Amino acid sequence: MDVANGDERGTTERVLTLLGLLQQRQLWTGPELAGRLGVTPRTVRRDVERLRTLGYPVHATQGVGGGYRLGRGQDLPPLLLDDQEAIAIAVSLLAGAGGAVAGAGDAALGALSKLDRVLPARLRHEVRALSGSVESFGGGRTPVDPEMLMTLARACRDEVEAGFDYPSGGEVRRRRVEPYRLVASDRRWYLLAYDLDRDGWRSFRVDRMAGVTARTWRFSPRAAPDAAAYVQESVASRVYPHQARFLVHAPADTVRAQVPPSAAVVRPCGAGRCEVLSGGGNLDFVLMHVLLLGHAFEVLDPPELVGRCRELAQRLLAAGAADAGPV
C-alpha cells in the first residue's frame, strides 16, 4: 500500500471519528478526545482545524470547564449515525411517510429515500420489524404500506420500470409503468407514471395498488408534465364523468383557502379573479359548491351549465316568492 495514501486514509478516518464524537456530546476536553482517538492533544488541535476548514463550526474554550464543542452552522452538515440511531430515524420516517403525520409525508419520504441509499443491508430487517409495530390513530392520509412507498420511491429515483396490480373497469389488471414522481395530497399518495400499455401519462392511487415490484430495466426519462398539478387536476376533475370551469371574482388565495386541493384546481387570472376547475357525478352539486363560496362567478364550461343556472335561479326565486306570501 502507498504510504502517503495510507496516512491520508488514516487521517480521514480519524477526523470522521472526531466529528462523530463531537456530535455525541456537547463538550469534550482535549485530553478526552486525544484518549478516545489514541493521538496527542496537538493532533486533536490539527484535526479540529481540518473540520473548521470543511465548514464545521467547532468552538474551543480555555480554562476549567473548557474544551471543544460543535456549534450550529448556517447549513445542516452531514450527520454521523450509529446503528441504533439510524434504525430509530428510519422507523420514524416510515411512520411519517405512511401518513401518520399530516403534511410531513413527502418530506419524510424524501429523507427516507436518502437514508435508504446508504443504510447497511444488515440493518434493513430491523427497520422492517420495528416499523411493523408502529401505528397511529386519528385523521390524515389513507394508510399505505411503507415498503410499497419505498419500492416506488426507489424506482422513481433509479429510473427503472415498475409493475403493480390495479383495479380498472371492474377488474384488476397488471400495469407496467415508467414511474416519475410520488405526489402526496392531504388525504392520499399518488404515483405519476407513464403507462406503457396505454401509451400515456396516468396517475395512480398508491393505496389501491397490490403486488408492487420494481424491475432492473432502466428507461430514459420522457418529457413529463408538472407532477403535482397533473395529479391535482386528475383528482379534482378528470376522475369524474362531468367537469366544469368557472371564473370566480375573488383572489386565488382566498378561494384556495375555501376549497380543498382535492376538490378543485384554482388558477389565478389577475385583477382579483381566478379560474376554478372541478368535477363531479352531477354538475348541480359542482354548481352549488361554487355558489356557496359566496363570490360572484361566471360559468365558462360546459355551455349547457349556463342554462342550468337559469333554471335553478328561477326555482330559487319561486321558492322565495312562495315563502313571502300570506300564511
Side-chain angles (χ1 to χ4, degrees), residues 26-112:
Q26 183 172 358
L27 186 69
W28 292 86
T29 66
E32 284 177 324
L33 291 173
R36 286 293 192 100
L37 298 172
V39 297
T40 65
R42 181 180 179 184
T43 300
V44 171
R45 289 194 294 273
R46 285 202 300 263
D47 289 346
V48 165
E49 286 303 319
R50 291 186 176 98
L51 286 176
R52 289 170 175 163
T53 302
L54 293 172
Y56 291 92
V58 182
H59 304 302
T61 54
Q62 302 294 327
V64 178
Y68 295 99
R69 65 180 180 86
L70 187 62
R72 299 180 183 274
Q74 292 184 343
D75 300 315
L76 179 66
L79 300 176
L80 297 180
L81 306 173
D82 62 26
D83 288 0
Q84 297 306 311
E85 291 169 337
I87 291 172
I89 291 175
V91 171
S92 300
L93 290 172
L94 282 167
V101 183
D106 27 8
L109 185 61
L112 184 58

Side-chain angles (χ1 to χ4, degrees), residues 184-188 190 231-237 240 252-267 275-279 289-290 293:
S185 75
D186 54 343
R187 296 174 57 196
R188 298 186 178 94
Y190 296 87
V231 171
Q232 186 195 6
E233 189 167 332
S234 297
V235 171
S237 64
Y240 295 103
D253 289 342
T254 300
V255 177
R256 286 196 187 104
Q258 296 177 280
V259 182
S262 58
V265 177
V266 181
R267 302 188 181 108
E275 180 183 304
V276 174
L277 173 65
S278 187
H289 279 302
V290 176
L293 293 176

Side-chain angles (χ1 to χ4, degrees), residues 133-148:
S133 63
V134 177
E135 295 188 12
S136 61
F137 64 91
R141 294 195 185 100
T142 302
V144 296
D145 182 1
E147 288 273 343
M148 186 185 302

